[in-house]
Amino acid sequence: MMRKLAFVFGMGLACAAPAQAQGLKPLSDDALSDVRGRDGVSFDLSGFSMSGNARATFTASPGRSIWMENLSASRSDSAVAFSDPYRLDIVAGAPGLADVIRFNFPVNADGAQRWQKAWDFGVEADGIVSKGGSLVFSDMVFYGGGWQFSTPRVADGVAFGAALRLDIGQLALRTAGRNNAGEQMALQGIRIGEVDENGNFTGAPWKIADVASQPAVINAVADENGPRLHIGIDWPDAKYGSGQAALGGIQIDRISFTSPATGTTDLGSSRIGSVQINFLDIKFRQ
């Protein structure tokens, strides 16, 4: 008899009341066969935080690179731990297509799960090393959405899908360091998500790509200069969907610049009412 296994684990500490031994009893095979649950893994990042001085570098050619370092990240949580976890499942694909690995973000309906992130960055070129400053994300809130991974239909690599519903309290570029807000460019009240035909946010994640109806791919392609990293999103597929790319919206409530010499200059707000990605083809130069 095949039995399903579902389990939950957490990063951080969680305490549970001890079970009473007299309240436990073995279950027969017949009783176990009546249990219904989801395959896969669920996990919660309760009390997650990290920081360090590791550096990640992308080198375009010898002596020319861009790097990020000193990453820090932490997350606040719901009052009820493990009540709204991340989920990793393997599900059947659309008819005729391969199975799909699906990684779903928490629904986070009350917005209690909030991320704080920061890292430093810089570039090196022609013998000059320049520290660009720090990127600081405050109150980054994901509302559902997630990732899909599968086998590409016609090429090597990895097919993927992505859906995003995201709010960011503030995204700041601070040239004098992450703790110096006196010299920064700040985008406040950022919102990204699905919109309807009139450009109104629906509250649902924006399906940027889907492994069936509009697959994205990451792979290596070769040309006369050799292999190159390739990222693309295919045209919408009417066989597995509507044949139309999903509509997304991007809103920024306030854009401002702050410096010791001029104080804060407010540039107002910005809104892209409706965005469609019908096709994307990016090849990185060697």
Side-chain angles (χ1 to χ4, degrees):
M1 176 183 295
M2 181 179 292
R3 294 180 183 152
K4 296 181 178 180
L5 175 65
F7 60 93
V8 177
F9 69 92
M11 298 181 67
L13 296 177
C15 298
Q20 299 297 322
Q22 64 269 25
L24 303 177
K25 63 180 182 179
L27 294 177
S28 66
D29 285 348
D30 290 340
L32 286 171
S33 66
D34 289 333
V35 175
R36 294 292 181 266
R38 297 189 61 169
D39 292 336
V41 178
S42 297
F43 63 94
D44 191 66
L45 297 178
S46 179
F48 175 88
S49 65
M50 65 166 289
S51 62
N53 58 1
R55 173 183 287 197
T57 303
F58 174 76
T59 301
S61 61
R64 297 183 179 184
S65 62
I66 182 171
W67 45 265
M68 59 178 290
E69 64 180 2
N70 300 327
L71 172 66
S72 65
S74 63
R75 198 193 79 171
S76 59
D77 298 286
S78 166
V80 181
F82 302 101
S83 61
D84 191 9
Y86 293 84
R87 299 191 309 275
L88 180 66
D89 302 290
I90 299 177
V91 299
L97 300 181
D99 289 350
V100 177
I101 299 173
R102 190 170 62 194
F103 181 67
N104 291 334
F105 299 154
V107 176
N108 198 20
D110 59 358
Q113 297 181 2
R114 294 174 177 266
W115 285 94
Q116 319 296 327
K117 299 182 180 181
W119 63 78
D120 305 330
F121 69 94
V123 296
E124 179 180 356
D126 300 327
I128 300 174
V129 178
S130 176
K131 293 184 177 181
S134 303
L135 281 175
V136 181
F137 295 79
S138 303
D139 291 333
M140 177 185 290
V141 186
F142 293 89
Y143 293 95
W147 293 89
Q148 305 168 314
F149 300 95
S150 189
T151 303
R153 301 178 198 176
V154 297
D156 294 331
V158 177
F160 68 93
L164 183 63
R165 165 74 173 87
L166 171 66
D167 287 3
I168 303 175
Q170 178 175 276
L171 167 57
L173 169 58
R174 294 176 176 171
T175 56
R178 66 183 63 187
N179 296 319
N180 189 345
E183 189 170 337
Q184 69 173 17
M185 179 187 75
L187 308 180
Q188 298 174 325
I190 301 172
R191 187 178 186 187
I192 302 172
E194 180 189 74
V195 297
D196 59 23
E197 294 181 352
N198 297 316
N200 300 311
F201 285 105
T202 67
W206 173 25
K207 294 181 179 179
I208 301 171
D210 183 272
V211 292
S213 61
Q214 192 177 13
V217 66
I218 179 169
N219 57 8
V221 296
D223 56 19
E224 64 276 7
N225 297 315
R228 294 190 291 172
L229 178 64
H230 169 243
I231 299 175
I233 299 178
D234 208 349
W235 293 96
D237 189 338
K239 179 179 179 181
Y240 297 105
S242 65
Q244 299 291 324
L247 296 173
I250 303 172
Q251 177 177 303
I252 303 173
D253 290 340
R254 186 187 183 211
I255 304 171
S256 63
F257 290 86
T258 302
S259 72
T262 61
T264 298
T265 302
D266 192 339
L267 300 183
S269 62
S270 179
R271 171 75 184 270
I272 301 176
S274 182
V275 180
Q276 280 183 300
I277 301 178
N278 287 291
F279 182 81
L280 179 68
D281 188 48
I282 300 173
K283 297 182 178 71
F284 291 86
R285 297 179 59 182
Q286 289 185 320

